[in-house]
Amino acid sequence: QVQLVESGGGVVQPGTSLRLSCAASGFTFSTSVMHWVRRTPGKGLQWVAVISEDGDEKHYADSVRGRFTISRDNSKKMLYFETNSLRPEDTALYYCARDRCFGCRLFDLWGQGTLVTVSS
Amino acid sequence: DIQLTQSPSFLSGSVGDRVTITCRASQGISSRLAWYQQKPGKAPSLLIYSVPPLQSEAPSRFSGSGSGTEFTLTISSLQPEDFATYYCQQHNSYPLTFGGGTKVEI
């Protein structure tokens, strides 16, 4: 079954960290560009990060650059998102998403999301 | 960053109605705009995009048009399963950006 399953979300205090994970199945993960996209109550959908097939190239939204790190383990078909120095405005449903093709910058497969709530 | 402005943000319609949603970009993005549909409790799903050429993974009642800075998504005849929130997304350059969404309700 072609799917992405996220995990690792939770309720945390400002300034703390969470590691989000995304397990891929049913497709060739190692040849797929992968993204993290979040949905916030106030701002709707926001793209946050992308990683190339081999993990060598990464891009981040300005709002998370320097605090969040995207990584992957192709042998395990896993995508990760290390989120540090969390802020209340990072509260969101975090989706991992597959890029439709190299250079497409489109999301053709999404997980169901993992909820991150940052609150004191 | 490229800003996308969607209008309207809310749309009330009936089954059989023809509806149009507009997405305006703050700068030219050629034809590299995609549309997604999101239903409550579900992940977004890709409807229409332009690589180019214009590609669609949606039923034929959905159509997209535009280039440069102004784009439209049209549903020719609203069906019960079309009541959802629609987002545009530019796939021209990083950072990728989305419009604010249009909620289509009965």
Side-chain angles (χ1 to χ4, degrees):
Chain A
Q1 184 179 4
V2 178
Q3 64 177 4
L4 297 168
V5 179
E6 302 93 336
S7 60
V11 180
V12 296
Q13 293 192 335
T16 59
S17 302
L18 275 177
R19 189 193 199 200
L20 309 183
S21 299
C22 171
S25 60
F27 64 97
T28 308
F29 180 74
S30 61
T31 61
S32 297
V33 174
M34 298 297 297
H35 301 260
W36 287 97
V37 178
R38 65 188 182 184
R39 192 183 75 190
T40 64
K43 295 188 176 182
L45 292 172
Q46 180 188 21
W47 171 83
V48 282
V50 60
I51 187 167
S52 61
E53 301 95 319
D54 60 7
D56 284 350
E57 189 171 344
K58 305 171 187 180
H59 297 284
Y60 299 92
D62 287 347
S63 57
V64 307
R65 186 177 295 113
R67 299 187 298 124
F68 293 7
T69 302
I70 189 172
S71 62
R72 64 191 298 161
D73 184 333
N74 286 343
S75 66
K76 296 181 179 178
K77 299 185 180 181
M78 293 292 296
L79 177 72
Y80 302 105
F81 208 29
E82 195 73 46
T83 64
N84 299 317
S85 303
L86 283 161
R87 304 167 179 168
E89 55 265 34
D90 295 318
T91 294
L93 185 63
Y94 284 76
Y95 297 102
C96 64
R98 182 183 70 180
D99 206 312
R100 189 185 178 279
C101 69
F102 177 78
C104 281
R105 304 175 190 138
L106 296 165
F107 317 111
D108 71 343
L109 178 67
W110 300 65
Q112 287 304 301
T114 187
L115 184 61
V116 173
T117 302
V118 184
S119 174
S120 55
Chain B
D1 297 2
I2 298 172
Q3 310 299 320
L4 297 180
T5 303
Q6 259 182 266
S7 61
S9 55
F10 178 84
L11 189 158
S12 180
S14 301
V15 173
D17 283 355
R18 178 184 180 90
V19 300
T20 299
I21 300 168
T22 299
C23 182
R24 290 187 173 88
S26 60
Q27 58 187 271
I29 56 171
S30 184
S31 297
R32 298 181 75 88
L33 188 98
W35 292 95
Y36 297 84
Q37 177 192 66
Q38 186 170 30
K39 296 181 179 180
K42 301 290 187 182
S45 62
L46 181 61
L47 283 177
I48 289 173
Y49 57 95
S50 179
V51 179
L54 186 68
Q55 305 283 331
S56 177
E57 302 189 3
S60 59
R61 61 183 180 275
F62 289 88
S63 62
S65 64
S67 67
T69 62
E70 187 148 341
F71 302 83
T72 58
L73 173 70
T74 298
I75 309 173
S76 60
S77 177
L78 266 178
Q79 298 301 302
E81 60 268 30
D82 300 337
F83 292 96
T85 300
Y86 295 84
Y87 295 93
C88 57
Q89 177 235 329
Q90 64 85 13
H91 57 105
N92 187 66
S93 61
Y94 288 110
L96 307 178
T97 49
F98 291 86
T102 296
K103 188 173 185 180
V104 178
E105 283 195 344
I106 300 173

